[in-house]
Amino acid sequence: MIKKMYYAILPAQIFMMLMMNINSIIDSFFAGNFLTTEELSAIGFYSPVSNLVYLCYVLITGTQILCCQHIGKGQKEETASLFTTSGVVIVGYGIAVSMIFLFMGPVLSSIMGASGQYAYAFQQYLIGLSFGIPFAMMNCYFMCFFKINDRNDLVIVSMVCAVVLNTVLNFLFVAVWHKGILGLAIASSLTSIVVTVIGVFGFLPNAKKDLAITFDLRMLDFKKLPAVIKNGMTQFSFNVAIMINNVIVNYVLILAGGERAVALMTVFNTFNMFISVLNAGTQESQLSIGSIYYGMRDRSSFIRVFRMGNRLITIMFGGTYLLVFLFAGVLSSIYFEVGSEMYSLAVIMLRIAMLYLFPIFISDTLLTAYQCQSKTKFPNAMQYIRTVLRLAPMALMASLIGLNGVWVGMVVGSVVQLIITYAHIFYCKGRITFRLEDGLLLDDDFGVPSECVFEKNVLSLDEAVRISEQVEAFCQGKNVSHRDAYHMGLCCEELVSNIYEHGTAGKNTVTLYLVIEDNYCSIQIMDTCREFNPATYLSQFSSDDPFANIGLKLVSLISDEMKYQRFMGINSVTIIKQLT
């Protein structure tokens, strides 16, 4: 089931992360081909300021963690309340940032170290972006939750719309109407507005579709914000650290190669976005899936989530970096004239600087696991440590070997960061260990004891029919009464058989997860078939015939509680029964 969940949402998640950055990537391309070096550098000066926008991820990440934990526990109303409340606050924050961009451009350009034409271009860029900021934030918010609502269709529509619309608008504003960097930013803002309007439809209550997460203004509860912020504080630390880091990096670049060197960082950031979306998509997938299994208290599945994530990151990064290394010249020629000094510097920069990402990716996997567990102290601290570890080697190496030393220092800093992450693991475990299970730092008492769990992938209708015998035997082995054991076996057989008979399960996956603990038995059945809510089905298709849907009726009568959810393209039915 974990593999199915990864393969179902990871490609869409990578597309989502790419779409969040697509405006910047397209802007960079048009700036490199149609605008001046000063205007290209303006995008580089904006990089630290953009973290004011991405501070909204404090709420996005915190909401994502808590919503997925509630989904794992079957608490649907809590997810609606959290999602709606955070969305309202994000809009308010977006308006505040818009005002800063609109009225404080000169102050920001001074802080960023931009002067003359560089400062003017930077301020024009901020003005053009200002009116689209609230929409850009909500677009980021929606992108992180589309996958949970199984709305990959909107991911594709939004992606295509963003690419086409932003490209067309950039061409009109920059190449045809010659509005320069201001036109570039206006095109991005207009694109954000349109894409956000499309995204709203992924979260409106829908009578035909059982959504895991919806907007419901009746569920506003600002008392939930402290818990959201607490779980999102790692993202706050990350954005503040990156903001400080990028400001100082710009100063280091200016000292090492002049203001034109900021244009090199713009090029780096553009290709960094392409590679980083692989990591960001994987981390977002792990954050959602891991939080769900953490809410279920499923220790073994939680570990498998991150083991698979590590493997995927290694494969994706290795292949992508090889392409960047081989085609660094071609990529650099997009921005600079072949044979020029800036072209040569860009080729060296791409081949060296991109190496710094891999240690970061491995460290991020561990930090994401801690976030799923709401353990935020070390991840928070690590974001600030990361800034120091990146800046100190960069400044030192730049003073020794010039501009290329900046890129070497980045690689050195990322390796040291990974070493510190493992030093923290060694300290917590009291021994040297490189096992992933130890690196996740799960509490010793986390998870249901394995002897209290019955888990099975049901592969056919024949197995579904025989599942009741296995469940009964397991329950009786745990001293459950014969009557309750029979009832639990009956529930499992009926629900799983129903999936195979009516849910086209032949090409899908059906997993049964049964737990006996504290005089309760809980059964969770997850499948990747078409949407089917047993409770809704019974209410819609009731009949005077006492034998109609008798199996589902028995399940409803036997269980003390029956809950249904659909998330990430997966049906989840949970049954809870108090044992006698």
Side-chain angles (χ1 to χ4, degrees):
M1 183 61 71
I2 292 174
K3 185 179 292 187
K4 288 276 188 179
M5 292 172 75
Y6 256 118
Y7 291 158
I9 71 171
L10 181 58
Q13 189 61 39
I14 290 174
F15 275 121
M16 290 179 200
M17 301 307 297
L18 181 61
M19 206 197 82
M20 291 180 195
N21 296 312
I22 199 68
N23 286 346
S24 296
I25 293 170
I26 295 173
D27 285 0
S28 174
F29 172 79
F30 274 90
N33 286 272
F34 294 98
L35 302 181
T36 64
T37 300
E38 289 85 354
E39 289 173 315
L40 179 60
S41 295
I43 300 175
F45 283 115
Y46 174 71
S47 181
V49 180
S50 67
N51 286 282
L52 284 175
V53 177
Y54 292 127
L55 279 177
C56 67
Y57 271 94
V58 175
L59 295 170
I60 294 174
T61 302
T63 304
Q64 187 177 3
I65 292 169
L66 292 176
C67 279
C68 288
Q69 288 181 359
H70 286 307
I71 286 172
K73 297 174 184 176
Q75 299 169 335
K76 190 171 183 178
E77 289 187 357
E78 289 293 322
T79 63
S81 179
L82 284 164
F83 183 74
T84 304
T85 303
S86 293
V88 169
V89 175
I90 287 171
V91 170
Y93 175 66
I95 294 172
V97 174
S98 292
M99 296 300 101
I100 293 174
F101 281 17
L102 194 59
F103 298 110
M104 296 185 65
V107 175
L108 292 174
S109 62
S110 177
I111 294 173
M112 294 304 112
S115 61
Q117 290 299 311
Y118 292 93
Y120 177 76
F122 173 59
Q123 291 167 31
Q124 290 291 296
Y125 194 54
L126 290 180
I127 291 171
L129 291 175
S130 61
F131 70 91
I133 291 300
F135 298 95
M137 290 185 183
M138 287 306 293
N139 190 27
C140 292
Y141 193 42
F142 293 160
M143 289 297 114
C144 288
F145 288 91
F146 276 148
K147 63 185 181 297
I148 298 175
N149 269 358
D150 193 26
R151 291 308 306 267
N152 291 338
D153 56 332
L154 286 179
V155 176
I156 297 172
V157 171
S158 299
M159 181 75 175
V160 172
C161 180
V163 172
V164 173
L165 185 59
N166 200 32
T167 301
V168 170
L169 290 175
N170 271 327
F171 179 76
L172 292 174
F173 277 102
V174 178
V176 178
W177 298 331
H178 305 292
K179 298 299 181 181
I181 194 73
L182 176 63
L184 201 72
I186 291 174
S188 293
S189 291
L190 292 174
T191 300
S192 293
I193 292 172
V194 173
V195 173
T196 303
V197 171
I198 293 172
V200 169
F201 293 97
F203 303 96
L204 297 178
N206 189 334
K208 296 181 179 180
K209 193 173 183 66
D210 199 315
L211 300 178
I213 296 176
T214 58
F215 270 123
D216 189 344
L217 291 174
R218 297 169 301 176
M219 303 292 289
L220 274 175
D221 185 359
F222 294 103
K223 294 179 181 179
K224 298 182 184 297
L225 285 178
V228 171
I229 293 171
K230 177 186 175 183
N231 281 275
M233 278 304 294
T234 298
Q235 196 64 41
F236 174 82
S237 300
F238 172 78
N239 281 287
V240 171
I242 288 296
M243 187 185 304
I244 296 170
N245 174 90
N246 288 347
V247 171
I248 299 176
V249 165
N250 280 348
Y251 280 105
V252 171
L253 288 167
I254 292 170
L255 290 173
E259 286 177 301
R260 66 174 187 162
V262 179
L264 282 174
M265 183 56 74
T266 300
V267 175
F268 168 77
N269 287 334
T270 300
F271 293 110
N272 181 27
M273 287 177 192
F274 276 109
I275 297 182
S276 291
V277 294
L278 302 177
N279 177 55
T282 305
Q283 300 305 336
E284 287 293 321
S285 299
Q286 290 181 137
L287 191 67
S288 296
I289 301 171
S291 295
I292 288 172
Y293 280 110
Y294 189 78
M296 292 170 57
R297 296 177 61 226
D298 187 343
R299 187 185 188 96
S300 63
S301 294
F302 185 86
I303 293 171
R304 291 201 299 272
V305 167
F306 289 93
R307 182 181 292 120
M308 186 172 182
N310 251 349
R311 189 181 306 122
L312 288 171
I313 285 175
T314 301
I315 294 170
M316 289 189 296
F317 173 81
T320 307
Y321 176 74
L322 180 61
L323 292 175
V324 170
F325 185 88
L326 293 175
F327 296 100
V330 176
L331 298 174
S332 299
S333 68
I334 297 174
Y335 298 90
F336 307 110
E337 184 179 352
V338 176
S340 67
E341 182 185 7
M342 290 293 284
Y343 169 84
S344 300
L345 289 171
V347 171
I348 296 172
M349 177 267 294
L350 288 175
R351 287 176 172 167
I352 296 176
M354 289 300 176
L355 280 172
Y356 105 100
L357 291 169
F358 186 63
I360 296 290
F361 291 176
I362 299 301
S363 178
D364 281 351
T365 293
L366 297 170
L367 299 181
T368 299
Y370 307 152
Q371 285 182 272
C372 290
Q373 303 170 61
S374 298
K375 296 178 178 178
T376 58
K377 288 184 179 180
F378 179 72
N380 290 345
M382 200 63 209
Q383 303 307 337
Y384 296 105
I385 293 172
R386 174 182 289 185
T387 300
V388 175
L389 291 177
R390 189 182 184 195
L391 292 175
M394 285 173 66
L396 175 61
M397 297 303 296
S399 67
L400 293 176
I401 60 176
L403 185 57
N404 289 332
V406 174
W407 324 125
V408 175
M410 289 172 60
V411 177
V412 172
S414 68
V415 172
V416 175
Q417 175 189 324
L418 185 59
I419 292 172
I420 290 178
T421 301
Y422 271 95
H424 171 70
I425 295 170
F426 300 161
Y427 172 79
C428 292
K429 303 303 292 187
R431 67 183 189 280
I432 295 176
T433 174
F434 293 97
R435 295 173 67 244
L436 179 64
E437 293 87 336
D438 295 327
L440 298 179
L441 297 181
L442 287 166
D443 295 335
D444 292 338
D445 60 351
F446 169 73
V448 180
S450 57
E451 62 271 14
C452 297
V453 177
F454 175 84
E455 185 173 8
K456 184 176 180 61
N457 289 326
V458 185
L459 304 177
S460 67
L461 180 59
D462 289 339
E463 286 191 14
V465 173
R466 295 195 301 269
I467 196 72
S468 60
E469 299 175 3
Q470 300 173 46
V471 170
E472 282 186 58
F474 173 79
C475 290
Q476 290 179 353
K478 300 301 170 190
N479 298 319
V480 174
S481 69
H482 177 77
R483 179 174 177 273
D484 284 341
Y486 173 75
H487 283 165
M488 292 301 95
L490 180 64
C491 287
C492 291
E493 179 182 339
E494 173 58 32
L495 289 174
V496 176
S497 297
N498 193 67
I499 292 170
Y500 270 94
E501 289 175 356
H502 306 292
T504 63
K507 298 181 180 180
N508 293 278
T509 300
V510 182
T511 299
L512 169 67
Y513 186 78
L514 181 147
V515 175
I516 295 176
E517 192 178 30
D518 299 330
N519 293 321
Y520 278 88
C521 178
S522 67
I523 300 169
Q524 185 168 37
I525 300 172
M526 294 191 291
D527 68 81
T528 55
C529 305
R530 63 190 178 192
E531 184 174 344
F532 178 75
N533 184 339
T536 301
Y537 183 83
L538 278 177
S539 63
Q540 291 178 341
F541 299 99
S542 58
S543 171
D544 294 333
D545 182 359
F547 297 102
N549 303 314
I550 188 170
L552 288 178
K553 290 178 180 177
L554 285 173
V555 171
S556 180
L557 290 171
I558 291 170
S559 59
D560 294 315
E561 186 176 0
M562 182 167 66
K563 297 180 288 187
Y564 169 84
Q565 297 179 96
R566 183 172 175 85
F567 53 86
M568 304 182 194
I570 293 171
N571 296 302
S572 174
V573 178
T574 302
I575 292 173
I576 298 176
K577 168 71 174 175
Q578 185 172 7
L579 301 175
T580 57

